[in-house]
Amino acid sequence: PQVQAPGVHPLGTQHYFGSTTPTQFLVAAPASVAIQTFADSFCPHGLSALQTAQTLNQAIHQHIQYNIRTEPGVQSTEQTLALQSGSCRDSAWLLVQLLRQRGFIARFVSGYLIDLPAQSEYLVNNSPNMAEHQHTELHAWCEVWTPDMAWVGLDPTSGLFSGFGHIPLATGIHTEQASPLTGWLEPCQVTFSHSMQLRWIKT
């Protein structure tokens, strides 16, 4: 089924639409000329949600350079396209907007990425603790709603589908809903740091 809806997209489809989950909006989200041009340049119309998502996912991976950006917030899609570069969260938000411009339901995801070693690497290291040979980092990606597979994750930083190493912490219709910190503070001097440690628990 298709549903008449503006550019506001659901965080949870059943919560938003009740028992009937749409596959696509009748009215696509409004988009800038830059968004429409990028989508039309790399992705033909008439594809399914999954086909569209993977085509655009690959296009962002190939044409938007990945940068580690420490500034707060997320770039606008127009800024990311103009710079042809951005962080993982910038590319993820760009993919969300591209999918919505085509009428599909998409959301922003924030979490962790565990860089899993290949089995051959693990055998060479011969370590009982696989975590010693893994890398973890904060990451962001996108999810698109498909009628057959529900939410499917895509990572435009790598151009691949999300997998076992993608650990979601928060999803949102807007990027602000997936932010780990919100609020206001008077001007002050502050030092911020974070660390992550991975430990496998045998069951």
Side-chain angles (χ1 to χ4, degrees):
Q2 293 183 319
V3 174
Q4 179 82 21
V8 178
H9 296 253
L11 178 59
T13 52
Q14 189 164 357
H15 162 74
Y16 192 86
F17 293 103
S19 60
T20 302
T21 300
T23 60
Q24 189 175 355
F25 289 130
L26 283 175
V27 179
S32 66
V33 174
I35 284 286
Q36 294 175 351
T37 301
F38 186 90
D40 292 342
S41 298
F42 300 106
C43 184
H45 289 266
L47 301 179
S48 67
L50 194 58
Q51 291 171 327
T52 301
Q54 180 57 357
T55 301
L56 293 172
N57 192 44
Q58 283 286 320
I60 294 174
H61 171 65
Q62 294 170 5
H63 298 281
I64 303 297
Q65 180 180 348
Y66 170 68
N67 287 335
I68 298 176
R69 198 169 60 79
T70 58
E71 298 85 0
V74 179
Q75 292 177 171
S76 69
T77 51
E78 290 75 16
Q79 186 177 7
T80 300
L81 290 173
L83 295 173
Q84 295 185 3
S85 67
S87 66
C88 59
R89 60 189 186 276
D90 302 321
S91 294
W93 184 237
L94 173 60
L95 181 55
V96 169
Q97 295 302 309
L98 286 166
L99 286 167
R100 290 177 179 177
Q101 186 271 334
R102 286 294 175 92
F104 296 108
I105 303 170
R107 66 186 183 184
F108 181 85
V109 187
S110 178
Y112 297 122
L113 176 63
I114 303 175
D115 187 11
L116 298 170
Q119 183 68 19
S120 58
E121 181 182 347
Y122 171 64
L123 294 174
V124 169
N125 289 310
N126 194 28
S127 170
N129 184 12
M130 287 184 65
E132 294 179 359
H133 308 288
Q134 294 171 343
H135 174 69
T136 62
E137 59 184 346
L138 296 170
H139 198 49
W141 58 98
C142 167
E143 287 182 344
V144 63
W145 176 265
T146 65
D148 299 323
M149 303 172 65
W151 291 108
V152 176
L154 299 107
D155 187 347
T157 301
S158 63
L160 304 174
F161 290 99
S162 62
F164 178 72
H166 291 75
I167 302 177
L169 295 180
T171 62
I173 300 171
H174 304 290
T175 57
E176 294 84 358
Q177 293 177 318
S179 175
L181 298 173
T182 60
W184 292 266
L185 189 69
E186 294 180 357
C188 63
Q189 184 174 0
V190 62
T191 300
F192 177 80
S193 64
H194 77 279
S195 63
M196 289 177 283
Q197 185 179 31
L198 176 66
R199 183 166 62 96
W200 284 81
I201 301 176
K202 294 183 178 180
T203 58

